[in-house]
Amino acid sequence: MKNPFSKIPFLFFLIPLIVGILLQYYLKIEYSGIAFSLTGLMAMLFSYLIREDRQFRWRWLFGAGVCLFLISIGIVSTTLRQQKSEFEYLDKIQVYTGVVTDTPQEKKKTTAYRVYLSREDKLIVCYFQRDTLDNNRLQPGDIFSFQGKIQPFQDIGDFDYTRYMYNQGFVGSAYVSRHLWQTTGETSLSLKYTALRCRQHIMDFYKSLGFNDTEYSILSALTLGYQEGLTDDIKQGFRTTGTVHVLSVSGLHVGIIYLMISFLLGFIRKGTGYYWLKPLLIIVLLWVYAFITGLPPSVIRASAMLTVFCASEIFGRKSFSLHALYIAGFFILLINPFSLFDIGFQLSFMSVLSILYLLPKISGLWRIENKYLRHIWQMSALSVVAQLATFPLCLYYFGTFPTYFFVTNLLIVPLVTLIIYAVGGIGLAKLLSLIMPDLSAYFYCLPVKILGGLVGFMTGIIRFFENLPFALVNDAKISFPDMVLIYTLITGALAFFIYKKPIGLILGLLSILLFFIVRIYHNVSI
């Protein structure tokens, strides 16, 4: 029987690591990790001591030992992460020194800063009175000292905010009163803070081009992931149409950038002696994009996954794509096991999985000779596969169902692609203006008008679909079994339509039947 892990062996490593993370996260069995580790090592050692004539019968023993050892690694890494999230809350004001780790978020009466306490090795959120920052606004990387009392987070309504921040690595929050803080005049030069400052410079450059507030806020969100300038009306419009995901740079954006760069480098033909330059340039440009967006975790994850995929192309291992995804996922979870519970990680992983596995198959269903039309079709196919991979997760976590999401995404995702191209045109205009500064106004004129028109057209589409009847179905939250059944339905349907396998149709119909049985049972039991 053929080994199902033969082409993607790192999936065999990833699954037991996830099992170990889940066991420790929910059951807290850190001391049992020793038993898993010793049992696994003994099984691997014993597999080498078996007589040659019995080795075939016991061939599974080494794999079982590796599996147990990886479970122990998941337990240990999660234990260390949990220990880092522990904090002793003191009922008195203390003096702390912290580093601003992100762009500030404006609240109604305060400004929220995410802060790393270097002495305590903890992450917290500091809330400043707005009027105390008028003349001394902190930037990412700025080091300051303050007096305050760190308190645990409080849940917000039905939302488990405490658990959410715990998974993000934050231990608590502190309110910083007027005159109880001061800057040290020092700035951390780490790559993360430098990237965030670079993002701020690009946003200031956007503002200098004369965009109105709506265009500027949407452009900053679409290309750089900065959403603080968006009004509630704009956010609600994107939520209602099921396109809010385009406002947060994530796996979808990195996928668009990947396809865009591949398209622009299409002149480098496969089979030539210098073809390796194409995946190498893609890797470099992907990480340049990750840097200018401020190195958010979602972009780092997606870039890491596609980097491993491009590296496999350099070494002539095209079939290595899914293996590349599992390698990236393994090391991401090994470094930070709490990423498993991050919605961003789950959405990024599913987006990139669909791009690597489904996109070639879906885009190949329609052969188009014209390369420009083919690229538009690929963007549409990208929207389809990304939505198929992520909308069950969105239903599970958020409980809202945008009725027209499929149509709006077919329109919005290609528009986002064109907007990114237009931003590239502005980047080219910036380069030309440095060479010929006297002509800079002419260089910027066309791309700025195109960009403004595209953003205006996109907001017009959002407003149109938002105002249609039944645009958003609320209270559509599904359970975890429901989500599994929806994914089973999608998998079965794809197996039937792509591979023409009747088992896929049977699986899909069975999942529909089970879904309705579960829903009916749930309604009756209530």
Side-chain angles (χ1 to χ4, degrees), residues 16 61 153 160 178 186 233 330 332 343 411 419 421 467:
L61 188 60
F153 294 107
D160 192 352
R178 186 194 306 268
E186 300 176 352
D233 289 341
F330 178 85
I332 288 170
I343 300 174
L411 296 173
I419 288 172
Y421 272 110
N467 294 322

Side-chain angles (χ1 to χ4, degrees), residues 158 231 298 397 413 455:
D158 295 332
T231 63
S298 58
Y397 284 113
V413 171
V455 173

Side-chain angles (χ1 to χ4, degrees), residues 205 209 422-436 439-448:
F205 173 64
L209 295 176
V423 171
I426 288 180
L428 178 61
K430 175 68 173 178
L431 180 62
L432 292 175
S433 66
L434 293 176
I435 301 173
M436 294 175 283
L439 300 176
S440 60
Y442 298 99
F443 294 142
Y444 287 124
C445 181
L446 182 60
V448 167

Side-chain angles (χ1 to χ4, degrees), residues 139-355:
Q139 297 295 331
D142 285 348
I143 301 174
F144 69 102
S145 62
F146 68 96
Q147 298 179 45
K149 183 170 62 175
I150 298 176
Q151 298 177 326
F153 294 107
Q154 301 294 324
D155 292 339
I156 303 174
D158 295 332
F159 178 53
D160 192 352
Y161 186 67
T162 302
R163 176 65 59 180
Y164 172 77
M165 295 304 290
Y166 174 78
N167 291 339
Q168 295 288 318
F170 290 85
V171 300
S173 63
Y175 181 79
V176 182
S177 302
R178 186 194 306 268
H179 307 309
L180 292 183
W181 70 277
Q182 62 180 0
T183 61
T184 63
E186 300 176 352
T187 301
S188 174
L189 300 177
S190 74
L191 185 64
K192 169 71 175 178
Y193 306 140
T194 304
L196 288 169
R197 288 173 178 270
C198 177
R199 184 180 73 171
Q200 185 61 52
H201 287 312
I202 295 174
M203 290 166 56
D204 293 339
F205 173 64
Y206 283 168
K207 191 171 290 186
S208 70
L209 295 176
F211 294 111
N212 61 42
D213 291 341
T214 300
E215 292 171 344
Y216 167 75
S217 62
I218 292 178
L219 187 58
S220 298
L222 288 177
T223 59
L224 301 174
Y226 182 77
Q227 300 185 35
E228 298 308 312
L230 295 170
T231 63
D232 291 338
D233 289 341
I234 294 175
K235 290 180 181 179
Q236 186 58 44
F238 279 90
R239 290 192 194 101
T240 302
T241 55
T243 54
V244 69
H245 58 93
V246 304
L247 297 176
S248 301
V249 288
S250 59
L252 175 65
H253 291 70
V254 177
I256 292 174
I257 294 294
Y258 169 79
L259 290 177
M260 185 180 74
I261 298 171
S262 297
F263 174 71
L264 294 175
L265 297 177
F267 63 90
I268 304 179
R269 299 295 181 182
K270 198 168 186 178
T272 58
Y274 51 88
Y275 178 74
W276 58 272
L277 279 174
K278 182 177 179 179
L280 182 62
L281 287 172
I282 290 175
I283 291 174
V284 172
L285 293 175
L286 279 178
W287 285 103
V288 168
Y289 176 71
F291 182 81
I292 64 175
T293 58
L295 295 173
S298 58
V299 176
I300 292 176
R301 287 190 291 259
S303 299
M305 294 171 187
L306 287 174
T307 295
V308 180
F309 170 63
C310 291
S312 69
E313 279 200 298
I314 294 176
F315 294 103
R317 297 287 300 276
K318 179 72 175 182
S319 61
F320 196 66
S321 58
L322 289 180
H323 193 187
L325 175 65
Y326 300 132
I327 289 175
F330 178 85
F331 285 106
I332 288 170
L333 294 179
L334 185 64
I335 295 171
N336 182 11
F338 278 15
S339 294
L340 181 64
F341 310 100
D342 181 32
I343 300 174
F345 172 79
Q346 296 171 19
L347 292 174
S348 294
F349 190 90
M350 295 304 296
S351 295
V352 177
L353 176 63
S354 64
I355 290 170

